[in-house]
Amino acid sequence: MTEHTPSLFNVDDASRPLADRLRPLSLSDVVGQDHLLAADSPIGRMVNANRLSSMVLWGPPGCGKTTIARLLAEQTNLAFEPLSATFAGVADLRRVFQSAQRRREVGQGTLLFVDEIHRFNRAQQDSFLPYVEDGTIVLVGATTENPSFELNGALLSRCQVFVLKRLDDMTLGALVARAEQLFAGGLPLDNDARNALITMSDGDGRYLLNMVEQVQALPAPVDSAALAAAV
């Protein structure tokens, strides 16, 4: 990739973690979720119509939930408000709702992304309802747990649930190839070690890229045994 070639990924700051630097800048560059993001798929059609519904993204770790939410906001011109249900409380929710109401008054919509949304209690989940109903926010919740058991029925009835897939070996291999574009000479792995790295990631793209970052500093070549000891 030359200095004149625009990058599809955030590769500008070598101090940032590799998984962050390789976050796609467009939904079309997200790997492994074409059943939801392709132009003729459910979320793809929403984006093309510039009209998002509130939704819950249900999938395993490292499959792209946070990235998808951020790109949905960018590609539909919504303000992006991220929260983690692990750390956020009532005061955080109130602040977001008030900010979203102010934006709405000047014609700006808000996408509220809630990571690990199943960790909010029933009262906290209920607090979303009026703001989802009147369009003050588009809610995008992310969860690794079955939302049918973890989310209130009232909230679920106002959201579409989309199931994200665990990344398969071919998709993980494509992520490794993307990472190698950043490293002169590629990664110090033989073929067996490369396959072992993909297997060790167990479908988690973020975990895979974290391991790739460790491997990049190892002497070449690295076989499967050395890889297991290193990561």
Side-chain angles (χ1 to χ4, degrees):
M1 190 176 293
T2 70
E3 62 180 359
H4 303 294
T5 303
S7 173
L8 298 177
F9 310 99
N10 293 305
V11 297
D12 55 318
D13 185 353
S15 68
R16 289 156 50 206
L18 180 62
D20 187 52
R21 291 159 62 199
L22 285 180
R23 282 190 189 276
L25 299 181
S26 170
L27 285 170
S28 62
D29 301 314
V30 175
V31 296
Q33 310 301 339
D34 286 350
H35 65 295
L36 297 178
L37 303 180
D40 60 349
S41 67
I43 295 178
R45 288 193 295 268
M46 288 186 197
V47 173
N48 289 337
N50 201 39
R51 189 174 181 82
L52 292 183
S53 299
S54 290
M55 65 184 75
V56 175
L57 303 177
W58 173 25
C63 66
K65 298 185 290 294
T66 302
T67 295
I68 289 170
R70 187 179 297 276
L71 292 173
L72 285 174
E74 291 179 2
Q75 293 190 215
T76 56
N77 298 311
L78 297 175
F80 183 69
E81 286 272 11
L83 285 179
S84 169
T86 304
F87 304 108
V90 173
D92 300 293
L93 291 173
R94 186 180 298 115
R95 173 189 58 77
V96 170
F97 296 148
Q98 290 173 347
S99 296
Q101 287 175 316
R102 289 194 294 269
R103 291 192 195 97
R104 193 181 187 193
E105 291 172 358
V106 296
Q108 172 70 60
T110 299
L111 187 153
L112 171 58
F113 172 66
V114 182
D115 196 19
E116 303 293 340
I117 191 171
H118 62 278
R119 294 185 180 272
F120 274 148
N121 61 36
R122 180 173 295 273
Q124 289 169 317
Q125 291 181 31
D126 284 344
S127 70
F128 294 113
L129 299 179
Y131 302 100
V132 170
E133 284 186 341
D134 70 7
T136 299
I137 62 170
V138 173
L139 175 64
V140 178
T143 180
T144 56
E145 305 295 328
N146 188 331
S148 298
F149 300 124
E150 301 294 339
L151 299 184
N152 293 353
L155 184 58
L156 275 179
S157 71
R158 291 161 175 81
C159 300
Q160 297 189 53
V161 176
F162 295 116
V163 181
L164 279 71
K165 297 178 180 178
R166 183 177 298 277
L167 302 186
D168 61 23
D169 287 356
M170 182 176 296
T171 301
L172 294 167
L175 284 181
V176 174
R178 286 181 179 180
E180 286 189 296
Q181 295 178 26
L182 303 184
F183 305 131
L187 292 172
L189 297 172
D190 63 20
N191 286 336
D192 288 344
R194 184 182 298 271
N195 292 334
L197 187 73
I198 289 171
T199 299
M200 291 165 64
S201 71
D202 193 27
D204 185 330
R206 182 172 51 247
Y207 182 45
L208 173 69
L209 292 176
N210 288 342
M211 289 193 292
V212 165
E213 199 160 22
Q214 296 178 57
V215 165
Q216 191 271 331
L218 298 176
V222 176
D223 60 20
S224 299
L227 175 68
V231 299

